[in-house]
Amino acid sequence: MSNKENTSEEIDLGQLFTLIGNVFNKFFQFVGNILKGLFHYLIVFLQFVQRHFWKFTIAAFIGLIGGGYWDYVSEPVYKSSMVVEPNFNSVQQLYNNIEFYNELAEEEEYESLAEALKISLEDATSMKEFSIESFSDQTQKIKQFSDFIQELDTLSQKMVDYEDYLKNFNNINAKFHKITIESRNPKVAKNSQYAIVSSIENNQYFRLQKQINEVNLSLQDSIIGRQMEEIDSLQKFYRKIQTLEASKPEGATSINLAEGRSEKTPEIELLDQIKQLKTEIVELNDKKANTSNTINIISAFPNKGVLVNDFFKRKIVLLPLLLIGTVFLFLFLISLNTFLKGYGKE
């Protein structure tokens, strides 16, 4: 009985190993077939390139000559950038304005562009492209998340974490934004800077928001000023009481202002409050400085733009690639048509 069981177990193990071996063999055959197929198509592609090598060479040569001449006769393009910090939720309007300017430049509506930017028609004609993008690093995102959390109630703070905040973070949420202008006139960006900023500053809604903010900051300033005066009066009162206590004869009834209160003396508590108020004053002054304008200019447009000399934007690079791609597509379609005609006959 024992010999039969051992024989049965050996047969089962043998079948299991055979099954596992077959699975591995099929897997390696599958991978091998894929590699063979890829190698086959690679050889077919190289044969195609070999047959039409001189056609591609001629296309590249024509592209180099034509692209080089195009670059030579083309006017140079200059790029200028400005970094700004929008306040009072004006960032969306700023993006809309930049997109509007770019559409006018693309559609060659130079008269409207000159009117919008308060520049000459000649300067407007030289403009090629407007763009804007967020300018934010990880440290700024963490600080913005901290400020965002502090504005929420306790329940909402538990429901939001940093990962959720990053998933919903977009260009509008960034603190700083970079405006870029490409133009054939290196000085036109500087000339249009005032109009770009004032288009937001003169908006009635944002002017109202700025006025309300100034009123609120002034109110906070006056409240902190009154609190400082009250604390100063209390300090004088405590010093007067201490002077009176020191001048009393021994055995007389004394006044203890700290009786029944915390371990801190009234003087220490007042000093803590003064320290807190001074911190609030510093924060208030920072807020006044940061919100004095609807658009804070962190880095203005330079007086003269930088020459755009990007290698992959030069015509001597783009035109050969375009011609080679066109020739390749044309020859591929011819080969495909020949293959389809022969496929039916076979």
Side-chain angles (χ1 to χ4, degrees):
M1 191 73 176
S2 175
N3 291 334
K4 290 182 179 180
E5 290 179 355
N6 291 336
T7 302
S8 177
E9 290 178 358
E10 290 176 0
I11 292 173
D12 291 340
L13 288 174
Q15 291 176 344
L16 177 62
F17 287 127
T18 301
L19 181 62
I20 293 174
N22 292 335
V23 171
F24 275 102
N25 286 335
K26 290 181 178 179
F27 173 75
F28 288 122
Q29 288 177 359
F30 174 73
V31 174
N33 291 334
I34 292 177
L35 293 177
K36 287 179 181 178
L38 292 175
F39 181 75
H40 171 72
Y41 287 115
L42 176 61
I43 295 299
V44 171
F45 173 75
L46 292 177
Q47 288 176 338
F48 177 81
V49 173
Q50 185 184 41
R51 285 197 306 270
H52 305 289
F53 176 76
W54 286 110
K55 297 183 181 69
F56 294 132
T57 302
I58 293 171
F61 180 75
I62 294 174
L64 287 172
I65 298 299
Y69 179 75
W70 195 348
D71 284 333
Y72 177 76
V73 299
S74 296
E75 293 186 55
V77 176
Y78 300 89
K79 179 186 291 186
S80 302
S81 298
M82 174 174 66
V83 178
V84 298
E85 179 189 10
N87 291 318
F88 315 121
N89 298 320
S90 61
V91 61
Q92 184 62 67
Q93 184 63 50
L94 179 63
Y95 270 72
N96 292 342
N97 288 3
I98 298 301
E99 184 179 355
F100 172 67
Y101 301 146
N102 188 57
E103 290 177 355
L104 292 178
E106 288 181 347
E107 296 173 3
E108 299 184 357
E109 297 287 342
Y110 297 123
E111 292 184 1
S112 300
L113 184 60
E115 182 180 356
L117 295 178
K118 306 295 188 295
I119 56 178
S120 66
L121 182 60
E122 182 182 358
D123 285 346
T125 306
S126 69
M127 290 185 158
K128 294 178 61 65
E129 183 180 356
F130 293 78
S131 63
I132 183 171
E133 60 182 347
S134 62
F135 190 81
S136 181
D137 57 18
Q138 194 67 21
T139 303
Q140 292 171 354
K141 290 179 180 179
I142 293 174
K143 186 178 184 304
Q144 287 180 249
F145 174 72
S146 177
D147 296 338
F148 172 73
I149 285 295
Q150 292 177 4
E151 295 176 356
L152 302 178
D153 55 68
T154 306
L155 181 61
S156 299
Q157 289 178 358
K158 296 179 180 179
M159 297 173 63
V160 180
D161 59 17
Y162 184 63
E163 296 298 327
D164 293 331
Y165 179 78
L166 285 183
K167 289 179 182 178
N168 295 284
F169 190 91
N170 54 39
N171 289 339
I172 305 301
N173 301 126
K175 186 175 182 181
F176 302 112
H177 303 266
K178 183 168 69 172
I179 301 171
T180 302
I181 296 178
E182 291 188 9
S183 173
R184 290 185 293 272
N185 182 345
K187 299 181 180 180
V188 69
K190 189 67 174 181
N191 297 339
S192 62
Q193 175 177 305
Y194 174 78
I196 292 174
V197 175
S198 62
S199 65
I200 305 297
E201 295 276 359
N202 295 333
N203 183 288
Q204 185 175 359
Y205 173 78
F206 300 125
R207 288 176 63 183
L208 178 61
Q209 293 296 313
K210 182 174 177 293
Q211 291 173 1
I212 293 174
N213 180 74
E214 290 173 352
V215 171
N216 291 337
L217 293 179
S218 178
L219 180 61
Q220 293 180 28
D221 198 4
S222 62
I223 290 173
I224 293 176
R226 286 199 298 269
Q227 289 176 332
M228 292 291 289
E229 292 175 358
E230 292 173 357
I231 291 175
D232 184 61
S233 299
L234 283 174
Q235 284 182 319
K236 291 179 180 179
F237 174 73
Y238 286 145
R239 284 195 292 268
K240 185 176 181 181
I241 294 296
Q242 290 173 350
T243 302
L244 292 174
E245 288 295 318
S247 62
K248 282 185 179 181
E250 294 184 5
T253 304
S254 62
I255 301 175
N256 186 4
L257 295 175
E259 186 176 357
R261 300 181 63 180
S262 62
E263 296 179 356
K264 291 184 178 180
T265 63
E267 294 82 357
I268 297 298
E269 290 183 356
L270 288 179
L271 290 175
D272 290 341
Q273 292 183 20
I274 291 174
K275 184 178 179 181
Q276 182 179 353
L277 288 176
K278 287 182 177 179
T279 302
E280 292 180 8
I281 291 173
V282 172
E283 293 176 354
L284 186 62
N285 289 335
D286 288 340
K287 194 171 183 180
K288 285 181 180 179
N290 292 332
T291 59
S292 59
N293 298 302
T294 306
I295 298 290
N296 292 331
I297 299 177
I298 308 302
S299 175
F301 283 126
N303 292 328
K304 185 177 180 180
V306 178
L307 179 65
V308 176
N309 197 23
D310 191 346
F311 179 77
F312 292 101
K313 287 186 177 181
R314 297 173 66 182
K315 304 301 184 299
I316 198 172
V317 176
L318 295 178
L319 192 57
L321 293 177
L322 177 61
L323 291 180
I324 291 173
T326 302
V327 171
F328 176 84
L329 180 61
F330 179 73
L331 294 174
F332 173 77
L333 291 176
I334 292 176
S335 300
L336 179 62
N337 183 57
T338 304
F339 170 78
L340 292 176
K341 286 180 179 181
Y343 184 81
K345 294 178 182 180
E346 293 177 359

